[in-house]
Each structure stands twice: as C-alpha cells, then as structure tokens.
C-alpha cells in the first residue's frame, strides 16, 4: 500500500475525472480512488481501464469505489467499500490476491468489528463536507484517534480535510489523508496534491 495522500475523484468538479486523476498522480498521490455513483459499471470500467496504466506509471495505485465487478474486470489495484456495500469477507473472497480492500469507518463500534481481511480503513468524516451531503456525524480529531486505536489498521482520515491539517491528523494516528475538493477543485490540482504531500512529510 502507498500513501500518504489519497485523492478521490469528483465527477461534479470542473476538471474531467481523467485529468483529476492524472494531476493527482503527477503531484505524488499514492492512492487515487475513482468514485462516481451515477456512472454505469461499463462507464466506470472504461474509465478505470483508461487510467490504470497511466496512473501506475507514476507509482500510484488506482482504487475503485464500491463496484466489485469493475475492480475484477479491470484488474484495478484495489476496491474501497462502505458499510452498506455487502459482506466484507465474501467480497474479499472474490478479489484476487494482492488487490487492496479498503473499508469506510464512521464509529468506534464499527472499528472494533472490522474483519481481518481489510487492508486499510477510511475514517471520518473528520468535519462536515459538501462533497458528500449524506455523510455521518463528524467525528473530529478525538474520534479519529479513538477509531485508530480500536481498528489497529492503517487509517486514512477523510472528510473536510485540507491544507494545514496534516500535523493534527498524523498526531491522531492516521497514516495519511484522503481528500476530494482540496485537490479536485483546486486551481492547480497537481500543485495542491504536491503541497499536501510536502506538508505531511514535514509534519
């Protein structure tokens, strides 16, 4: 697994998803997740297939959000699922060896019940975020630290995160930060990614 900057694409952002992903890769993002709730599996698969070799050339890993079939069809580097996306153990059994499996975690109780087949978690939201209007109650830094302690897995903090947050997130135990608008809606997504990486490395 790579990190510490994990960029999630946004189909609503001004820049096309392909350009968002490539800019993030050029800027040093270790993980790039393709997320589009409205796209069909065929559309997602075409996008992932187009991006996969180009992302890999920068040393980044491409993660598919939710779509198990798309991840399997395209040979993506990983799959990220939420609490309502199916049985985690069953999903892992379907994935080939070496494919990363990430899981979204919103509470300490969920963190205590993570199956051992999960490779990393995304914990949050840290703060309220317009990117995902139906998000759970923000957990804050104290909630993040509690989840990190309960899960004992590599944890990426997500939700309302941007420049200036790296030190506090790292102090709470996160191995990295996951962002959407801080990169995808930045005037220069590549520079924004590089700045987040530099900040994390200096924290």
């Amino acid at each position: 697994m790579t990190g510490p900057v994990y960029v999630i694409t946004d189909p609503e952002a001004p820049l096309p998803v392909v350009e968002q992903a490539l800019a993030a890769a050029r800027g040093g993002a270790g993980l790039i997740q393709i997320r589009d709730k409205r796209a069909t599996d065929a559309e997602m698969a075409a996008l992932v297939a187009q991006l996969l070799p180009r992302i890999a050339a920068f040393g980044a890993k491409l993660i598919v959000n939710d779509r198990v079939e798309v991840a399997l069809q395209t040979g993506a580097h990983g799959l990220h699922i939420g609490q309502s996306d199916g049985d985690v153990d069953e999903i892992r059994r379907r994935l080939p060896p070496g494919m990363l499996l990430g899981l979204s975690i919103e509470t300490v109780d969920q963190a205590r019940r993570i199956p051992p087949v999960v490779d990393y978690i995304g914990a949050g939201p840290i703060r309220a975020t317009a990117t995902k209007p139906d998000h759970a109650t923000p957990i804050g830094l104290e909630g993040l630290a509690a989840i990190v302690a309960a899960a004992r897995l590599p944890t990426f903090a997500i939700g309302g995160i941007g420049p200036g947050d790296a030190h506090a997130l790292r102090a709470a135990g996160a191995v990295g930060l996951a962002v959407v608008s801080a990169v995808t809606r930045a005037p220069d997504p590549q520079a924004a990614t590089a700045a987040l990486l530099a900040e994390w490395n200096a924290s």
Side-chain angles (χ1 to χ4, degrees), residues 42-136:
E43 290 168 340
M44 283 282 285
L47 182 61
V48 172
Q50 178 185 357
L51 278 170
L52 195 56
R54 301 172 74 182
I55 292 298
F58 291 98
K61 293 187 183 298
L62 193 148
I63 310 296
V64 171
N65 177 265
D66 291 351
R67 316 291 184 93
V68 180
E69 298 302 331
V70 172
L72 292 171
Q73 177 185 340
T74 60
H77 298 121
L79 172 73
H80 189 92
I81 59 174
Q83 291 292 313
S84 61
D85 290 327
D87 181 85
V88 178
D89 289 301
E90 181 181 344
I91 289 172
R92 167 54 84 187
R93 284 192 290 270
R94 298 188 61 198
L95 302 183
M99 183 177 285
L100 293 172
L101 179 60
L103 179 66
S104 293
I105 295 293
E106 300 164 348
T107 68
V108 172
D109 184 57
Q110 290 172 355
R112 290 179 178 138
R113 294 184 285 107
I114 299 172
V117 296
V118 172
D119 295 302
Y120 74 89
I121 63 171
I126 306 303
R127 304 186 186 96
T129 171
T131 304
K132 194 174 182 181
D134 61 343
H135 62 71

Side-chain angles (χ1 to χ4, degrees), residues 35 37 46 53 55 69 80 107 121 142 151 158 170 190 199:
R35 182 172 73 182
K37 301 294 186 182
I55 292 298
E69 298 302 331
H80 189 92
T107 68
I121 63 171
E142 289 186 3
I158 186 170
R170 196 166 190 173
Q190 180 177 334
E199 181 189 332

